Every structure is written in structure tokens, then in C-alpha cells.
RNA sequence: GGGCGGAUAGCUCAGAUGGUAGAGCAUCGCCCUUACAAGGCGAGGGUCACAGGUUCAAGUCCUGUUCCGCCUACCA
């Protein structure tokens, strides 16, 4: 509910654009290799040009931005290189859809016109996502923005291709590949996603040509039988003993095919006999090679049956499946049909069922490339974080298979190979050759195929820095410091960058590979358009502000776990933003242009306490960022800022800031307050850049440079003071004890009470010295010190260390209530005591546990015993007055 | 079929190197105490999935089991 005071709350509208423009104007994100400083570089995982910002990007980009801003503030020579990916199939699909709306196909336009059209689309509508990254606050060096199809990168692609080809690491050949009949292109194995699909297993009888016997085969794709050229059984399968070599009649086609034996056949599956369709199955293809069987292609590029399919020619493959089954039934050759759950490959771009098909394609020989890429991780040149992903990486790399890199689409890097019309040889050159390298003929035709988009992506970490030229950028920023990405493209992209990076530069492209989780919806479901559960990051930013959104992502980014995004979470952190904003207002109320930021010689106990705590949080935040434990960093910042700084420190120092305070005290207090608060603001900058810059600029100091220039807070060990932290901890506990009593006994907050502290003089010394704090934060009228002989009759009591906190509440006290409260305390202390005593009475514990642990238990035991006896006695006192 | 991850408060999750179970949200109570009600103060709530084992000591290490996810694979 929006109250009328909402104008007092933090409103991020307007300030985000303002400061982003300010940073751009100041060139803060622009890297200059000539400038000094240790290099820190990241290349962005380039989003598709067709893309628009989703949660995955938002998380990915936020984490990178934290790293970049942190390193920027550390004064390193920092580069974050942005750009987009041409996304071959995805982009082509987008433009094809636009054409379809005009009633045209890409074939109507022809290749050249179509590609022109895609470029036009790219110029007009591509890259919206980059604007959205700016909205997120991404501190990219936009002057270095690259596109995988721009001139430099295309050059790098051709160069890489030629070098690999000449080393024999790229080859062309006829193999079974995954074919998408909708996209009409080959796909790599990775681009096929398998989905569990309900289908049927058909058992088909293949009669022997001579004799009365027959062989029954099982298949999930009966339409492919039209292309069968054999039936195979396992050589050791005695069911078929003596029958291998027989000739079968291929039903529906009336073609004679042999019964062969091959070790690949699993005797347990189906009937133990497999139909062999070399043109449409990878296994069958291999079998056919071994047995020199012919190959008959019965499904064409668009998924229709070819002329080889006899009566079924021209039918769609799925219609054909039904027709084949009907026909088999009619002929009495369908033995049975079982429901069958199996994995069916789908095109990862358009979800069409993929058809394995035999065709001529280009491949990368991956084994020789994989070996050094494996070694780089094994030997620690590149670190994978969190390390459990290493295993996945090795698993895949160890079993890597050759990579089909040619695509029969038009949008992409055309393969730099020219086929000779005269001698048939292929010439591969970086620049278009004039004549055939083998026969000298000028009758050359460039290869029609383009490269898999991931081929250019694989070069991204160095192609963007100028490779193959030896540029200053390349020597300065390569290898990059970290790659931040989701695990979903570990194989697609990371593994391939590792291979190509090492192959072409001799060095692994990253020091650290940081794998983050997936962002899911509040119920843990993967966000998808079809599910309709997509949370739009832009909408979240509109509603809660970018900083709140960023902080949410950071706070939830625990290693190795998926993130559930929900409004509640963002709202909570939006409140945190407001808290910081309000704290800023408070600080501004109390400081002015004259306020020094120098810490005074003499520091109050409270100041020493906050400074000591501050060192800890600085340490935690820095370590968190450096170890990619973003959530730990975020939590430490949150906890300290809200609960220690705002809830305790600010409340404790208010009197020293008031006009009634001693002027010197006041001046010093302002200085410390400002200093501490500015440190907090600087500390938070990588997470919440807009709010921190806004506050930074609003603090006194005239027209200021960006907070990015202030240096990142560093731990000053001199300021850490464990004694002060302990003393203050006690004081805070006493305050909490009073508050607890008041609250439990329903004493109105407005009611001032007397607080009696009972204990030895030396134990009370610190409290006596800082009594004012206690009085105010506990809302006490006065604090009275009592010696250990004092008997708290008619007092509500609590025990804090060696001190008893007593509230004389005669007339107000509800003795039932107080008895219940005390009993609870007694039970709690008693339970703990029995655990500790139990351990200590175990002599093996005393003998084996480290001395410090035993000692800690001993003193804990003493404390608890003392506490328990005090509590029990007080409980007894109260019980006397029970009604 | 292999591999990985998860199972901790009502919900969502933290809990490096084993040593007295934490946070946020939600819940309950009291408060508009002039930085902040997008707030303050206080409270309740957990046999850390189950069964064994190692250890003086296990949420944490080992083994097994059960349920969830995910990745991967040439059972047609």
C-alpha cells in the first residue's frame, strides 16, 4: 500500500540513465592498453543479435559487471569486451519468418538478396540486447563492440579455417549427420536435443527369399525400412545360427537384402535382428561400411520421401510412417506393435524432429585439439569454478567426437573453399583464389556451405582482440582473466574456445572459467515462453530498480545451485536499497562541506567498534568477489550495512551528532560517520552502481569524480580490535536483554524503566563507562549499579555473562509471564549445559580433542553453570509472587 | 546405461578445511522513538531425507537406500 510518504522513499527512476551516461562520458569503461596497471579482462559471452534480455543474460552480465567494477576500482587496467553473435540459424529463421509474412521464401530472393536482407534486419533491429545491457549497468567498453560477422572477425574465421585445414584438422567427407528438415541444414551432435517421446516399437517380418522362414526386426521408424539394404544379427546369436548369408525380401519394396552378422547388434534388444538403413542411421552407416552394403536415401532434405521410396515417394516422412504401417498390416507382415518410450532428437533451434542422413559435410578433427585443452585444465592453467564442473568438462573432452561444422544455410561465414569445375579438387585459401591449386584452372566455384556459428564463437576471446594480427590489445588482454557463463554452453562454447585458443595462440584463453547456475521461476521451473512463466528482467527493473534487481541476482548466486527468482526476493532487496538511501539522507543531514574525512586521533569506543567491524566486512566482500562467491559477498555487505551500521552504529552515535554535543566530539563524530559511510558506499559499488554513485555524488565534496575512481576499500588490520568488539558485544547483549524483557512483559516502548545491573565492579566497568548508550537504546530512565549481594526481589531479570540485568517493575510486572520467561531461559541454558557437561565427562573427548576446543567447552560450562544458578534463583524469587 | 547435483525452519535457500544449527521472506506481539512503516524492537519455529559406518565429536567425511532435478550415451 502506497502511503503518502512514498515521496520519501528511494526512487531509482531517472538516476540510472543519468549515471550511466555520466560513466560513458567519463570514459570509465574504456580500456587503453598503453595505460599502466595489471590487466584484467573479460570477453562477454556474446548474446545472439536476435536476442533480447532474459534472466540468464541478466545474471551472467551482472556477475561480470561486479568483477569488472571491482577490478576497475582496484585500479587495474580493465577491459570488458562486448558484442553479439550472428547466430546463423536463429537469425536466418527470424528473417525467414518476416519474409513468410510477405508471402516470400528465402529461395524467392536468392542467396545474395537474402543475405542483404539479413544485414538490413541486423542494422535495424539487431542488437536491442546491447541497449538492455546498458540498462543493467554493464560496464563494457562499447568502443570495442564486436560482431561475429564483422570484417575483422570474418578474417579471423577464414584464417583459422585455413590453418586447421592445412594441418589436416579440418576435412570434408560423406558421413551420417543430424539433419533438420525444417532448417534444411546439417547440425552438430550438440545441436540436437533429445526428448523423451512416446512412440511405438514395430515388429516387422522380413521373409526369406527361399524357404518358409523369416526374420522379425524391431524398429521405431518403420518408414526407413524402405531404405534398408540388409538385416543384421549378432554373430554369436544361436537363434540365427546357420542363417546368416540368407537373402531376405524387403517387404513393400520387394528388394532382396542379405542377412548379415555384426557385433554391434545387441542380442537382448527387440528380436535380436536389426534392419540396416545405411543412409538414415549412424550405426547402420558404420555397419554398411564394414560390409560394403549399398546405401539408399529414402528421405530428402525437406523430410519427404524420395523417388527411392517406391509407392511412398513424395510423402511426408511421418505420413509415410503411418502408410507403411498400414501397408504392412494389410500384408500381414506387422507382427506386433508395442508402445515405446524413447529419446528422439530435435533441432535445438526449431524443435523439428531431426533426421539422421548421409551427406557430404565438413568436420573438425577434434581429438588432437582436445588433448591440450584437457591438459590446460588438468594442470591448472585454467581453473573451472566451481570445480565440480571439471569432471563434466573432462568427461566430454575425453569422449569428444568430430565436429560437423558445415551448415546448409545462407547466413554465416561462407567456407573459404573453392571447388574446381575441371579437376574436382578443392582449394582452400584465406582470400578467394584465382585458380585451382591443383590444376590451375580458373573454373572455380565457392563452397555453398557456411560455418557453424559456434566456429566463430570459438575464436571470440582472441578474434575480438585483433587476432591474427599481433595487436596491442591481444598482447595486453589475452589470455583473459575470467569467463563467466552458464553451464548450458560449457560444451558448445567453452570447450571449443579452449581448443581453438590453445591451437592458435598457444595459451588457454582464460585463467578462470566461472560457471553459474540457471535462473528459474519461483516454483523452480525453467523459464520458457511456452510455459509462459518468463519473468522479464526489464519489467523487474522498472518496478524495483536496477540495483535492487542486480543485488537480488548477486545475493542468490550461490555456487552450483539454480536461482529461483521471485518478486518477494527483489522486493526485499529493493527495501535494502531504500535503507541505504535513507542512511545516505541521514548522513547528509549531519555533514557539510566542512566535514573532514580524516579519522580523529581519539576515537570513541563506538567508532573503534564500527571501524573494526568494517574491516571484517571489507575482507569478506573482497574475498567473496575474488573467489566468485558472490552471494557471500552480497550477504556480508547486506548484514553489515543494515544491521550493524544502520541498526546499531547510527543509533549509538546520534547524541554525538546533535547540536547539544560537545563541538569537538561532534566534529569527530561527523568525520567518522562520513568516512565509514563512504567506505560502505564504495564497497557496494560493484553490486549496486547506480545508487552508490547517486549517494556518493550527493555527499559533500563539491563536484566530484565518479566513485569508480575512489579505489576499492582495503582492509586496515590496525583498525581491527577484537577486545573492543567483545566489549561492545556485551553491551549490545545487555541492551538486547532489556529489550527482550520489556517486550515479553509488554512494557510499553514509551515507558522509561530503571535498569539495575548487578555484578562485580570490574565486570560492570565497561557498562558504567558507556552507560549513556545503554540508557538510550534500552529506553532506561536510569541505570543503577548493584553489587553481587543485591537480591532482585520483584525484578524481571536476565543474565548476560557475569552480569545480571534487573528491571524493577513493581506494579507492572506480570509474575506469571516473568516466571514463564525465566523458565524458558533456564531450560535453554540447562539443555546446553548438559550437552557441554556430557562432552567434558567423556574422557576420550578430553584426551583427543584439541586443547583449545576442550578449553572452550570448560569455560562454556562454567559460564552456563553460573548463568543457570542465577536464573534458577531469580526464577525462585519470582515464583514466590505467583498468584 | 553412465555421470552430476539436490533433499536443512511454513517457503526459498546459506552453511570453505568435521567442534555450541543461520539468513531472507512468511508468521505472532509491541511501536508512526523526526534517516527510513519499503521502518524499529522483540518472539516462535529445525530428531539437518532414511539406514549404517569412521571419529572424542558428523548437517559437514565414507557406504547403502528412497525420492526429486539436470547432463550425457550409437539399444534399433
Amino acid at each position: 500500500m502506497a502511503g503518502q510518504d512514498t515521496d520519501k522513499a528511494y526512487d531509482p527512476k531517472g538516476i540510472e540513465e543519468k549515471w550511466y551516461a555520466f560513466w560513458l562520458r567519463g570514459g570509465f569503461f574504456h580500456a587503453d592498453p598503453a595505460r599502466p596497471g595489471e590487466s584484467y579482462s573479460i570477453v562477454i559471452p556474446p548474446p545472439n543479435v536476435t536476442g533480447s534480455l532474459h534472466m540468464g543474460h541478466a545474471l551472467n552480465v551482472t556477475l561480470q559487471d561486479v568483477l569488472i567494477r571491482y577490478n576497475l576500482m582496484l585500479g587495474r587496467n580493465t577491459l570488458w569486451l562486448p558484442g553479439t553473435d550472428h547466430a546463423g540459424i536463429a537469425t536466418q529463421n527470424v528473417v525467414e519468418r518476416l519474409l513468410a509474412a510477405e508471402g516470400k521464401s528465402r529461395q524467392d530472393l536468392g542467396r545474395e538478396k537474402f543475405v542483404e536482407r539479413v544485414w538490413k534486419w541486423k542494422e535495424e533491429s539487431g542488437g536491442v540486447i546491447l541497449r538492455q545491457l546498458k540498462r543493467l549497468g554493464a560496464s563494457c567498453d562499447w568502443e570495442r563492440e564486436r560482431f561475429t560477422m564483422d570484417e575483422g572477425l570474418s578474417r579471423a574465421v577464414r584464417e583459422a579455417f585455413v590453418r586447421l585445414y592445412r594441418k589436416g584438422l579440418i576435412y570434408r567427407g560423406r558421413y551420417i549427420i543430424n539433419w533438420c528438415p525444417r532448417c534444411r541444414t546439417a547440425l552438430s551432435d550438440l545441436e540436437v536435443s533429445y526428448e523423451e517421446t512416446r512412440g511405438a516399437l514395430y515388429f516387422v517380418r522380413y521373409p526369406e527369399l527361399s524357404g518358409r522362414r523369416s526374420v522379425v526386426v524391431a524398429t521405431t521408424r518403420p518408414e526407413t525400412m524402405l531404405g534398408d539394404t540388409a538385416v543384421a544379427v549378432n554373430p554369436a546369436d544361436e537363434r540365427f545360427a546357420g542363417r546368416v548369408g540368407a537373402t531376405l525380401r524387403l517387404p513393400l519394396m520387394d528388394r532382396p537384402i542379405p542377412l548379415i552378422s555384426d557385433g554391434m547388434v545387441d542380442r537382448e534388444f527387440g528380436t535380436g535382428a536389426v534392419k540396416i538403413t545405411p543412409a538414415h542411421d549412424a550405426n547402420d552407416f558404420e555397419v554398411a561400411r564394414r560390409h560394403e552394403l549399398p546405401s539408399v536415401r529414402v528421405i530428402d532434405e525437406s523430410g519427404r520421401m524420395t523417388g527411392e521410396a517406391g509407392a511412398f515417394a513424395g510423402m511426408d516422412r511421418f505420413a509415410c510412417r503411418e502408410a507403411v504401417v498400414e501397408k504392412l498390416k494389410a500384408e500381414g507382415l506387422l507382427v506386433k506393435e508395442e508402445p515405446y518410450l524413447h529419446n528422439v532428437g530435435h533441432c535445438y533451434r526449431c524443435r523439428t524432429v531431426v533426421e539422421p542422413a548421409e551427406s557430404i559435410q565438413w568436420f573438425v578433427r577434434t581429438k588432437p585439439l582436445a588433448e591440450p585443452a584437457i591438459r590446460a585444465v588438468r594442470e591448472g592453467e585454467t581453473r573451472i569454478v566451481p570445480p565440480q564442473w571439471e569432471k563434466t568438462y573432462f568427461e566430454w573432452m575425453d569422449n569428444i567426437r568430430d565436429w560437423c561444422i558445415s551448415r546448409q544455410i545462407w547466413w554465416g561465414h561462407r567456407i573459404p573453399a573453392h571447388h574446381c569445375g575441371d579437376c574436382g579438387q578443392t582449394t582452400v585459401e584465406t582470400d578467394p583464389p584465382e585458380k585451382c591449386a591443383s590444376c590451375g584452372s580458373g573454373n572455380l566455384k565457392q563452397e555453398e556451405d557456411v560455418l557453424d556459428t559456434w566456429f566463430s564463437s570459438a575464436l571470440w576471446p582472441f578474434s575480438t582482440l585483433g587476432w591474427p594480427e599481433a595487436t596491442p590489445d591481444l598482447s595486453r588482454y589475452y589470455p583473459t582473466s575470467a569467463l563467466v557463463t552458464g553451464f548450458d554452453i560449457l560444451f558448445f562454447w567453452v570447450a571449443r574456445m579452449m581448443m581453438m585458443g590453445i591451437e592458435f595462440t598457444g595459451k588457454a584463453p582464460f585463467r578462470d572459467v566461472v560457471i553459474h547456475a540457471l535462473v528459474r521461476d519461483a516454483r523452480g521451473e525453467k523459464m520458457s515462453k511456452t510455459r509462459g512463466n518468463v519473468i522479464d528482467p526489464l519489467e523487474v527493473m522498472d518496478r524495483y530498480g536496477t540495483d535492487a534487481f542486480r543485488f537480488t541476482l548477486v545475493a542468490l548466486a550461490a555456487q552450483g545451485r539454480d536461482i529461483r527468482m521471485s518478486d518477494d526476493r527483489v522486493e526485499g532487496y529493493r527495501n535494502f536499497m531504500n535503507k541505504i538511501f535513507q542512511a545516505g539522507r541521514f548522513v547528509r543531514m549531519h555533514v557539510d562541506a566542512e566535514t573532514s574525512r580524516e579519522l580523529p586521533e581519539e576515537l570513541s569506543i563506538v567508532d573503534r567498534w564500527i571501524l573494526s567491524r568494517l574491516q571484517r566486512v571489507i575482507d569478506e566482500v573482497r574475498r567473496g568477489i575474488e573467489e566468485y562467491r558472490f552471494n557471500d559477498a552480497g550477504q556480508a555487505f547486506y548484514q553489515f550495512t543494515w544491521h550493524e551500521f544502520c541498526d546499531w552504529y547510527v543509533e549509538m552515535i546520534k547524541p554525538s551528532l546533535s547540536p547539544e554535543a560537545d563541538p569537538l566530539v561532534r566534529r569527530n563524530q561527523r568525520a567518522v560517520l562520513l568516512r565509514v559511510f563512504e567506505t560502505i558506499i564504495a564497497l557496494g559499488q560493484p553490486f549496486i552502481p547506480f545508487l552508490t554513485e547517486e549517494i556518493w555524488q550527493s555527499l559533500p565534496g563539491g563536484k566530484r569524480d565518479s566513485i569508480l575512481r575512489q579505489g576499492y576499500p582495503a582492509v586496515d588490520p590496525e583498525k581491527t580490535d577484537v577486545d573492543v568488539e567483545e566489549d561492545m558485544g556485551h553491551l549490545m547483549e545487555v541492551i538486547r536483554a532489556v529489550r527482550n524483557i520489556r517486550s515479553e512483559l509488554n512494557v510499553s516502548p514509551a515507558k522509561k524503566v530503571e535498569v539495575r545491573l548487578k555484578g562485580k565492579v570490574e565486570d560492570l566497568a565497561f557498562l558504567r563507562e558507556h552507560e549513556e548508550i545503554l540508557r538510550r537504546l534500552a529506553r532506561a530512565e536510569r541505570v543503577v549499579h548493584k553489587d553481587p549481594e543485591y537480591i532482585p526481589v520483584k525484578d524481571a531479570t536476565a543474565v548476560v555473562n557475569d552480569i545480571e540485568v534487573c528491571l524493577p517493575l513493581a506494579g507492572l510486572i506480570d509474575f506469571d509471564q516473568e516466571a514463564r520467561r525465566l523458565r524458558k531461559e533456564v531450560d535453554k541454558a540447562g539443555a546446553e549445559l548438559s550437552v557441554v557437561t556430557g562432552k567434558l565427562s567423556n574422557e576420550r573427548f578430553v584426551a583427543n580433542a584439541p586443547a583449545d576446543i576442550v578449553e572452550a567447552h570448560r569455560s562454556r560450562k562454567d559460564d552456563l553453570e553460573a548463568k543457570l544458578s542465577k536464573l534458577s534463583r531469580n526464577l525462585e524469587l519470582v515464583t514466590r509472587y505467583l498468584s
Side-chain angles (χ1 to χ4, degrees), chain A residues 623-839:
Chain A
R623 279 216 322 269
I625 296 174
E626 261 156 35
E627 292 165 19
Y628 308 108
R629 290 180 292 106
F630 298 98
N631 59 322
D632 287 351
Q635 287 305 330
F637 179 74
Y638 179 96
Q639 172 65 28
F640 174 80
T641 303
W642 196 321
H643 296 122
E644 299 195 69
F645 179 77
C646 292
D647 287 350
W648 283 104
Y649 180 70
V650 166
E651 292 308 321
M652 291 193 283
I653 64 168
K654 275 178 177 171
S656 330
L657 291 168
S658 85
E660 290 95 64
D662 175 278
L664 180 66
V665 168
R666 194 176 179 209
R667 196 163 67 228
N668 288 346
Q669 191 60 75
R670 290 168 151 204
V672 181
L673 172 66
L674 185 55
R675 173 75 169 262
V676 171
F677 186 64
E678 285 190 345
T679 306
I680 291 173
I681 291 307
L683 202 59
Q685 201 286 148
F687 311 114
I688 46 173
F690 298 109
L691 174 59
T692 49
E693 184 77 75
E694 170 74 11
I695 291 175
W696 172 258
Q697 299 287 346
S698 74
L699 292 170
K703 201 162 164 47
R704 317 178 85 183
D705 200 348
S706 169
I707 188 169
L708 287 164
R709 283 280 155 73
Q710 302 314 305
Y712 203 69
V715 175
D716 178 356
E718 301 262 299
K719 295 203 178 70
T720 304
D721 191 330
V722 287
D723 294 337
V724 166
E725 287 191 37
E726 199 182 328
D727 286 342
M728 285 297 290
H730 289 172
L731 170 59
M732 287 155 74
E733 268 188 79
V734 170
I735 292 168
R736 271 198 212 98
V738 177
R739 286 170 169 177
N740 174 274
I741 292 170
R742 298 182 58 122
S743 181
E744 293 276 298
L745 301 185
N746 286 319
V747 177
S748 150
K751 170 89 183 157
K752 295 265 187 170
V753 295
E754 180 179 308
V755 172
R756 294 174 180 165
L757 298 174
K758 172 185 164 186
K760 296 202 202 100
V761 175
E762 61 268 33
D763 292 334
L764 293 175
F766 184 83
L767 292 171
R768 186 186 293 275
E769 199 178 332
H770 304 288
E771 189 182 295
E772 187 278 333
I773 297 172
L774 169 61
R775 213 162 50 227
R776 218 161 30 80
L777 298 198
R779 301 193 69 72
E781 181 93 69
R782 60 178 170 279
V783 177
V784 180
H785 292 251
K786 300 285 187 185
D787 62 40
E789 272 66 55
Y790 170 71
I791 296 173
V793 186
K794 297 192 183 181
D795 288 359
T797 57
V799 178
V800 177
N801 301 306
D802 298 319
I803 299 158
E804 281 174 78
V805 179
C806 314
L807 266 69
L809 293 172
L812 288 167
I813 192 165
D814 174 341
F815 288 96
D816 278 330
Q817 188 80 357
E818 172 64 1
R820 239 174 290 141
R821 200 185 65 80
L822 277 177
R823 198 163 290 125
K824 206 169 63 189
E825 293 291 313
V826 168
D827 290 348
K828 212 157 71 179
E832 208 187 318
L833 179 62
S834 70
V835 170
V836 175
T837 319
K839 276 190 166 187

Side-chain angles (χ1 to χ4, degrees), chain A residues 175-193:
Chain A
Y175 296 93
I176 290 277
I177 44 81
N178 306 292
W179 184 270
C180 174
R182 219 253 7 126
C183 302
R184 296 200 192 186
T185 179
L187 301 170
S188 70
D189 295 338
L190 280 177
E191 287 165 313
V192 177
S193 63

Side-chain angles (χ1 to χ4, degrees), chain A residues 361-387:
Chain A
Q361 302 289 343
W362 293 82
F363 298 86
V364 171
R365 205 180 300 282
T366 42
K367 276 265 185 286
L369 294 166
E371 277 165 26
I374 292 167
R375 215 176 314 128
V377 172
R378 192 151 275 147
E379 290 171 3
E381 181 184 356
T382 295
R383 209 158 46 118
I384 297 183
V385 186

